[in-house]
Amino acid sequence: MTGAGTAIWGVGTSAFGKQTSLGGPRLAWQATVEALDDAGLQASDIEAVYAGTVFGDPGTVTRCLQQIGIVEVPVITIENACASGTSAFHEARESVEMGRYERVLAFGIETMTAHFDGAISPIASDPDGAQGYAMPSIYGMSATRYKYEFGVTDEQMAEVAVKNRRHAMGNPRAQHHKTVTVEQVLGSRMVADPITLFQCCSIADAAAAAVIGPLGGSQDPRGEVVIRSSALRSGRLWDHTTDKVWGWDIVADTAARAYDDAGVSVGDIDVFEVHDAFTIGEIITTEALGLCELGEGGRLVESGHTSLGGLQPVNPSGGLLSRGHPLGATGLAQIAEIVWQLRDMAADRQVPGARLGAVETMGGGTAGIDGNACVVTVLEQVG
Amino acid sequence: MTSLTTTPPERAGADPRPELAIHEGRVLLTGSRCGDCGYPQAINPPRCPICGSHAIATATFGPKGTVFSSTVLRIPVPDRTPPFTLAYVDVDEGPRILAHVDGPDEALVPGSEVVLSGWSEHGDPVVRRSGP
């Protein structure tokens, strides 16, 4: 599907962290006002809102946006697990691409500390969740499988956390601003064998937003970032017929579609923000995105290819491992990071000369399927 | 650590967990198999998700299976006391299910042979290691 083109006009985020006392609306105002200012728009200019939130109370999104004047418009809330924010982005982009609206807010919010003290509680209506299965278990099992099948080492997994925490030193909005060593990562307490605490993202409260409109239609088109493509899908059945770990195929399938629609190959992309909820997740995802072959993800991170200064940096923001993971906000925070990278605004974490970037978010929690949803979008600097 | 009972639990309401039953002294998984394409499942839906056939027949699977992967969950979750061992098990000729593992708090090596053994104190399906 191609029209004259769709662009991101502006982005904004709150800080990321455990900030229960702020509540949803204040986080939302920070993100939304920044995005509107960045786009040069007033709240009254927004024609529709697509929002992502998972654990929010009924009415969360309208409650967050009404008092800054985003009213009398369609407000559509989407739940797609960890990919809720990018799903909202995807639908916002589609609505512009199809000519339905011209100034759309994609918005994501989550106040995790209002709901959880630690890991997300298992979903009691799910065949796996009803067994007390929490999200770290699936990543623990992926890691066990990768050690067995491909010889991925604990040190290679730890290196993902070391890299992303190092990257976050340049990101003032991240939750964690402290580097860690491989020894510290592996010495932190075990959560789901072989995944240790420092290999798990923290919960967080945050909001993030992007204003989307026709390419060239904003007040300052030089600040626009082109949405070359966006793909969204649910997973295949994940069953006894596959030897792939959970979440591999959905990322590969979604990425293939996004690259194809954008007319690019993975080698063209300068910078990535990907779903590193757990260290093994980034290893699997970099493989599925095509940055290396199946089973080579551990060696890829070890090689420095995905570090700042490497050929294709992954998670220059520090990723979920440093930012924390406010589910609905995460995808739009990833989008914001790539927009800043493509505008050369990322300061100490800037990937020099980045022109093409990609965002990947994958959400799960449903037994028997290879992910509830995955979004991959390819973004490009204007000009 | 997972406790093990061979007394079938009461399945309250819409319990979504894989259902085990004892047949002639063996613990088997109750599910379904597509009469057209043979696709096995731990549930019994009205149509086959693979070929669309309506010919879904109740079937039992097991008791043997092979571990796809495993972990020990060491953080607290509601109603359960950590640590406990979990595994995805490909039941012989049947579906892949999640199960608790009876034994020490150690993840099973993928490829390990297991046997369906009964239920945890919470009514979760339980497997134990049966071979290499």
Side-chain angles (χ1 to χ4, degrees):
Chain A
M1 180 170 309
T2 49
T6 301
I8 301 170
W9 290 3
V11 292
T13 78
S14 68
F16 284 67
K18 297 179 176 65
Q19 35 194 355
T20 317
S21 61
L22 281 181
R26 283 177 182 77
L27 295 167
W29 301 343
Q30 290 173 10
T32 308
V33 169
E34 183 181 11
L36 289 170
D37 287 349
D38 192 28
L41 296 185
Q42 299 296 319
S44 56
D45 294 324
I46 295 297
E47 297 172 341
V49 178
Y50 290 86
T53 189
V54 178
F55 299 106
D57 295 329
T60 286
V61 176
T62 41
R63 194 171 297 115
C64 286
L65 298 180
Q66 61 180 346
Q67 276 152 346
I68 52 171
I70 298 177
V71 293
E72 299 185 87
V73 295
V75 176
I76 313 295
T77 300
I78 296 168
E79 185 274 298
N80 242 345
C82 305
S84 296
T86 27
S87 295
F89 169 85
H90 177 87
E91 288 302 308
R93 182 255 185 179
E94 287 288 305
S95 75
V96 173
E97 193 81 3
M98 298 172 77
R100 191 172 180 191
Y101 306 114
E102 294 193 338
R103 294 179 296 276
V104 180
L105 182 71
F107 170 72
I109 187 159
E110 213 71 57
T111 51
M112 296 293 284
T113 60
H115 301 280
F116 305 105
D117 289 330
I120 297 168
S121 299
I123 306 297
S125 59
D126 182 81
D128 291 354
Q131 297 192 48
Y133 158 108
M135 285 312 289
S137 339
I138 184 65
Y139 286 96
M141 284 202 257
S142 293
T144 298
R145 183 80 196 180
Y146 259 49
K147 291 178 72 168
Y148 165 79
E149 192 170 1
F150 301 119
V152 166
T153 65
D154 291 329
E155 288 74 16
Q156 288 170 339
M157 287 189 280
E159 186 57 40
V160 175
V162 171
K163 167 181 75 74
N164 290 353
R165 292 284 285 268
R166 185 172 66 239
H167 289 178
M169 298 301 283
N171 181 1
R173 302 189 195 203
Q175 176 169 188
H176 299 298
H177 291 113
K178 193 176 176 189
T179 57
V180 291
T181 64
V182 167
E183 293 71 28
Q184 286 171 324
V185 172
L186 296 180
S188 62
R189 74 184 162 87
M190 194 63 80
V191 170
D193 301 16
I195 300 288
T196 56
L197 182 66
F198 288 1
Q199 300 188 59
C200 308
C201 64
S202 305
I203 62 172
D205 309 307
V211 176
I212 294 163
L215 178 62
S218 70
Q219 287 182 354
D220 180 11
R222 291 168 304 175
E224 294 179 8
V225 164
V226 185
I227 308 170
R228 287 280 297 266
S229 67
S230 176
L232 162 65
R233 68 168 64 201
S234 62
R236 311 174 186 185
L237 295 178
W238 188 75
D239 60 18
H240 59 284
T241 63
T242 184
D243 279 337
K244 295 271 185 57
V245 295
W246 177 83
W248 203 102
D249 282 320
I250 187 176
V251 175
D253 293 343
T254 313
R257 176 66 188 270
Y259 297 160
D260 192 45
D261 285 356
V264 302
S265 64
V266 65
D268 300 328
I269 298 171
D270 301 306
V271 56
F272 295 81
E273 281 283 310
V274 312
H275 192 73
D276 61 330
F278 299 84
T279 53
I280 186 68
E282 182 175 305
I283 287 173
I284 293 164
T285 300
T286 51
E287 295 175 7
L289 287 171
L291 284 160
C292 61
E293 296 295 317
L294 173 67
E296 294 293 321
R299 280 182 280 276
L300 182 76
V301 65
E302 204 171 43
S303 74
H305 185 95
T306 56
S307 292
L308 277 170
L311 282 177
Q312 290 179 294
V314 172
N315 288 324
S317 70
L320 283 62
L321 286 167
S322 305
R323 200 165 40 226
H325 189 17
L327 275 71
T330 284
L332 283 153
Q334 295 175 301
I335 299 275
E337 175 67 17
I338 294 296
V339 166
W340 292 325
Q341 290 283 345
L342 298 178
R343 288 175 173 170
D344 198 20
M345 291 170 61
D348 292 345
R349 61 184 192 281
Q350 180 66 44
V351 176
R355 295 189 55 81
L356 206 56
V359 167
E360 175 275 341
T361 333
M362 197 277 268
T366 298
I369 191 166
D370 188 39
N372 301 18
C374 181
V375 175
V376 175
T377 182
V378 177
L379 307 179
E380 185 180 26
Q381 191 185 72
V382 164
Chain B
M1 185 166 164
T2 297
S3 61
L4 177 67
T5 172
T6 51
T7 304
E10 292 272 324
R11 285 177 70 90
D15 190 332
R17 294 173 292 186
E19 185 169 0
L20 306 184
I22 296 178
H23 297 268
E24 299 173 355
R26 299 189 308 167
V27 180
L28 300 179
L29 171 68
T30 303
S32 69
R33 188 182 292 283
C34 175
D36 284 321
C37 76
Y39 188 71
Q41 298 187 82
I43 53 171
N44 201 338
R47 286 195 189 191
C48 175
I50 304 299
C51 74
S53 169
H54 294 250
I56 306 293
T58 299
T60 55
F61 307 102
K64 292 182 177 174
T66 305
V67 171
F68 175 77
S69 198
S70 178
T71 189
V72 183
L73 190 66
R74 298 182 186 273
I75 56 171
V77 291
D79 304 326
R80 283 174 182 74
T81 307
F84 53 87
T85 307
L86 296 166
Y88 275 121
V89 174
D90 292 335
V91 181
D92 284 2
E93 310 301 320
R96 179 175 296 170
I97 63 166
L98 181 72
H100 286 240
V101 179
D102 177 38
D105 297 324
E106 291 172 15
L108 298 181
V109 176
S112 299
E113 293 173 12
V114 293
V115 61
L116 298 169
S117 302
W119 297 267
S120 74
E121 62 187 297
H122 301 288
D124 306 309
V126 174
V127 298
R128 64 179 157 74
R129 201 167 156 173
S130 62

